[in-house]
């Protein structure tokens, strides 16, 4: 008696591809493509690899995510347009991706401490069509790198540069250890305003900028219509600068707005807001002066 082929092999190729994309890069390369000839054919189609998303948290025990990422990029054969790498990539992997992906329009990097600012600037210079760049908790990126990136990416419409959140707003600015550069304050915002004139969307979560930085953003990015400055506690929006933000922006997120939809480090517990926090709850009464500054 003849053995019939599995029913899923009769599905149209585009439907099969749609289903397999939901598995994730590693599962496709390690498992799905080995199931049958039909699936292997679909998995080798460059169109399957136009969008790549690899996160260390999804595969915490794997040590070869860099290799998996390179294999996926090779499969794309230059058709890659969107990639997110989180918690694993180093400078060499980023350069490998960008050298082979000149059509890339969106690049997102999160918590990749092994990527240097120099490598990042070198990599994005190879992406003439880049429209969106997201940098989440990238500890080695400095203001000078941001300015260089802006000059290399004239089509950039959306930029994200987010730092770790702050549980105690009044302590913001007492230390620049996280940025490892002093003073930093508005330097990132000044670099953006100077080099990214075509921005429409900007997110600067937990940035150390002050009003001069915000002013530079509004002056240097006249097309800006979406601005997220949650946890930018050094900005004062009580005067004309605040009015200008409300008038210009179609979407504006303010320093003390809720961050429940932000999936990286906010410094807060789930569903917690600053109105729920006692600023002295974890400190001795004698640690602060009356204006929340150190003695």
């Amino acid at each position: 008696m003849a053995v019939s082929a599995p029913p899923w092999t009769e599905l149209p190729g585009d439907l099969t591809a749609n289903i397999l994309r939901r598995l994730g890069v590693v599962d496709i390369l390690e498992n799905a493509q080995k199931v049958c000839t039909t699936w292997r054919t679909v998995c080798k189609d460059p169109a399957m690899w136009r969008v790549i998303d690899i996160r260390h948290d999804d595969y915490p025990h794997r040590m070869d995510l860099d290799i998996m990422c390179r294999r996926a990029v090779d499969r794309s054969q230059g058709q890659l347009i969107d990639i997110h790498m989180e918690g694993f990539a180093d400078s060499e992997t980023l350069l490998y991706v960008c050298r082979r992906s000149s059509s890339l329009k969106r690049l997102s990097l999160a918590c990749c401490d092994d990527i240097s600012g120099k490598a990042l600037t070198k990599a994005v210079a190879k992406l003439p069509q880049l429209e969106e760049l997201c940098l989440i908790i990238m500890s080695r990126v400095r203001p000078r790198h941001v300015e260089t990136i802006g000059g290399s990416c004239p089509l950039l419409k959306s930029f994200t540069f987010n730092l770790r959140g702050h549980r105690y707003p009044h302590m913001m600015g007492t230390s620049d250890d996280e940025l490892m550069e002093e003073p930093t304050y508005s330097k990132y915002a000044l670099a953006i305003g100077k080099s990214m004139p075509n921005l429409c969307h900007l997110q600067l979560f937990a940035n150390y900028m002050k009003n001069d930085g915000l002013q530079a953003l509004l002056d240097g990015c006249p097309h800006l219509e979406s601005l997220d400055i949650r946890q930018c506690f050094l900005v004062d929006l009580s005067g004309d600068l605040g009015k200008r933000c409300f008038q210009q922006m179609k979407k504006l997120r303010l320093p003390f707005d809720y961050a429940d939809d932000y999936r990286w480090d906010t410094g807060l517990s789930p569903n917690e807001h600053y109105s729920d926090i006692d600023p002295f709850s974890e400190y001795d009464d004698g640690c602060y002066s009356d204006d929340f500054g150190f003695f």
Side-chain angles (χ1 to χ4, degrees), residues 67-225:
I67 295 174
M68 290 289 174
C69 182
R70 295 183 187 210
R71 288 173 59 189
V73 170
D74 290 343
R75 288 282 182 94
S76 74
Q77 296 183 24
Q79 294 188 29
L80 181 65
I81 60 171
D82 183 344
I83 186 167
H84 175 77
M85 295 182 285
E86 184 173 333
F88 72 91
D90 59 16
S91 294
E92 288 302 316
T93 298
L94 175 63
L95 288 166
Y96 187 94
V97 170
C98 294
R99 288 186 186 117
R100 289 159 177 78
S101 309
S102 60
S103 297
L104 199 67
K105 293 186 176 182
R106 182 180 186 274
L107 172 62
S108 177
L109 304 169
C111 308
C112 297
D113 293 335
D114 291 330
I115 294 178
S116 68
K118 182 179 179 180
L120 177 62
T121 59
K122 186 177 180 180
V124 299
K126 302 180 183 300
L127 306 175
Q129 298 184 48
L130 194 66
E131 297 179 1
E132 182 176 351
L133 177 62
C134 299
L135 304 176
I136 313 293
I137 314 179
M138 297 290 290
S139 61
R140 300 173 65 184
V141 179
R142 302 288 179 262
R144 65 181 182 276
H145 301 134
V146 170
E147 184 173 342
T148 300
I149 289 168
S152 300
C153 304
L155 299 183
L156 204 61
K157 298 294 192 298
S158 178
F159 183 56
T160 295
F161 186 79
N162 296 346
L163 304 177
R164 287 184 173 85
H166 302 270
R167 180 173 177 80
Y168 297 99
H170 56 274
M171 293 186 67
M172 190 175 192
T174 61
S175 172
D176 283 339
D177 291 343
E178 179 183 359
L179 302 176
M180 300 178 66
E181 184 175 341
E182 180 143 8
T184 54
Y185 293 114
S186 294
K187 285 187 176 180
Y188 287 96
L190 293 171
I192 295 168
K194 183 179 180 180
S195 65
M196 301 181 182
N198 295 317
L199 283 187
C200 297
H201 310 285
L202 176 63
Q203 183 178 77
L204 295 174
F205 191 93
N207 195 273
Y208 283 67
M209 72 173 171
K210 296 183 178 180
N211 278 26
D212 61 332
L214 181 56
Q215 183 75 52
L217 291 175
L218 298 179
D219 291 342
C221 308
H223 305 293
L224 203 60
E225 59 185 46

Side-chain angles (χ1 to χ4, degrees), residues 165-170 172 206-207 209 229-236 255-257 274:
H166 302 270
R167 180 173 177 80
Y168 297 99
H170 56 274
M172 190 175 192
N207 195 273
M209 72 173 171
I229 52 173
R230 283 176 292 174
Q231 295 202 13
C232 295
F233 298 120
L234 302 181
V235 170
D236 180 5
F256 282 93
D257 281 356
Y274 289 102

Side-chain angles (χ1 to χ4, degrees), residues 18 41-42 57 76 106 152 160 185 195 199 226 252 266 283 293:
N18 184 280
T41 300
V42 171
D57 287 349
S76 74
R106 182 180 186 274
S152 300
T160 295
Y185 293 114
S195 65
L199 283 187
S226 172
L252 179 63
T266 65
Y283 297 89

